[in-house]
Amino acid sequence: MRVDEVSKSFREGENETDVLRGVGLELARGETTSLVGRSGSGKSTLIALLAGLLLPDAGTVVFDGRDVAALGDAGRAQLRASRIGVVLQRDNLIPFLSACENVELAITIAGGRHARARARDLLSELGLGQRLHHRPSALSGGESQRVAVAVALANEPDLLLADEVTGELDSTTAEQVMGVIHEAWRERGLSVLYVTHSDELAARAEHRLGLSDGAVHLR
């Protein structure tokens, strides 16, 4: 994925806030990248732009040679279903489906087989083998976040975008979740970009970026 001179602003009433200003970065195939920045610096906005959930006001986001903005809503949804896994800070799960059903659905949409068995295996890897049939409302914040990671990995993506994936987890569970992500990276050669406040977790990535004053820089 390549990002060229991307800018994004939000307007509320008479006020307009510039969140990203001419951001540029490249995510190489099969490599891990961490992104660190203070709260409100635009990290979540950048993840949403990379995933095609938001469109830039200026500049381009290109995935595997294709301009994401030019794909249309259906094309961007298909891209997320088949090639890009996304873990957001919240609202990643369908509330009336169980943990297992959320993961099964993601596998089925991506055209995968043996959805039930694969969903159970993936959730068990994330320490949720006893919570398969619980709906999101019956899960803790940390458990919901782990289910969201399973959903993002369910389609065996080429690129994983994770926004504060360990933010609500204790240190032991955070290590477990990052272990699953890194194992998926090693086994499948996927590219990974993860946002974190932890310098320790950020240092585990091959490439380390920071976001401040609307621009990305090397750390």
Side-chain angles (χ1 to χ4, degrees):
M1 178 164 276
R2 190 180 73 252
V3 176
D4 291 320
E5 294 296 319
V6 161
S7 297
K8 185 66 179 179
S9 300
F10 295 99
R11 178 179 290 278
E12 185 174 348
E14 296 294 319
N15 300 316
E16 184 171 289
T17 302
D18 295 326
V19 179
L20 300 175
R21 306 181 185 92
V23 166
L25 63 88
E26 186 166 341
L27 303 176
R29 188 180 302 274
E31 296 185 352
T32 59
T33 304
S34 61
L35 178 65
V36 176
R38 62 174 177 77
S39 297
S41 62
K43 303 184 301 298
S44 295
T45 298
L46 180 56
I47 290 290
L49 287 165
L50 296 178
L53 296 167
L54 290 175
L55 298 180
D57 297 329
T60 56
V61 177
V62 178
F63 180 74
D64 206 12
R66 295 184 293 175
D67 184 344
V68 172
L71 296 177
D73 291 341
R76 288 189 291 275
Q78 178 58 33
L79 190 64
R80 288 189 296 274
S82 60
R83 301 192 63 191
I84 298 179
V86 187
V87 187
L88 302 176
Q89 291 189 54
R90 58 186 67 86
D91 299 329
N92 231 52
L93 304 178
I94 298 172
F96 55 83
L97 297 181
S98 69
C100 194
E101 288 168 341
N102 265 280
V103 182
E104 282 183 65
L105 179 62
I107 294 171
T108 301
I109 290 174
R113 302 175 62 187
H114 311 297
R116 174 66 57 88
R118 286 184 53 211
R120 293 173 69 96
D121 288 346
L122 191 50
L123 288 167
S124 294
E125 286 183 50
L126 287 160
L128 294 169
Q130 304 302 314
R131 310 291 278 172
L132 299 176
H133 305 298
H134 289 68
R135 293 184 179 181
S137 60
L139 300 172
S140 69
E143 288 171 337
S144 293
Q145 191 72 323
R146 280 183 278 167
V147 177
V149 170
V151 169
L153 291 174
N155 63 354
E156 298 187 348
D158 296 312
L159 171 64
L160 176 67
L161 302 171
D163 188 4
E164 289 292 352
V165 67
T166 61
E168 295 188 42
L169 306 179
D170 59 69
S171 58
T172 300
T173 308
E175 281 295 326
Q176 182 181 25
V177 169
M178 290 304 299
V180 170
I181 290 175
H182 276 264
E183 182 178 352
W185 162 66
R186 286 192 299 269
E187 290 183 351
R188 305 170 191 169
L190 76 163
S191 304
V192 179
L193 172 66
Y194 60 93
V195 172
T196 180
H197 282 298
S198 167
D199 288 335
E200 183 178 352
L201 289 179
R204 294 177 61 171
E206 296 171 288
H207 306 284
R208 293 166 294 281
L209 303 176
L211 180 59
S212 60
D213 298 322
V216 169
H217 54 85
L218 293 174
R219 296 184 81 241

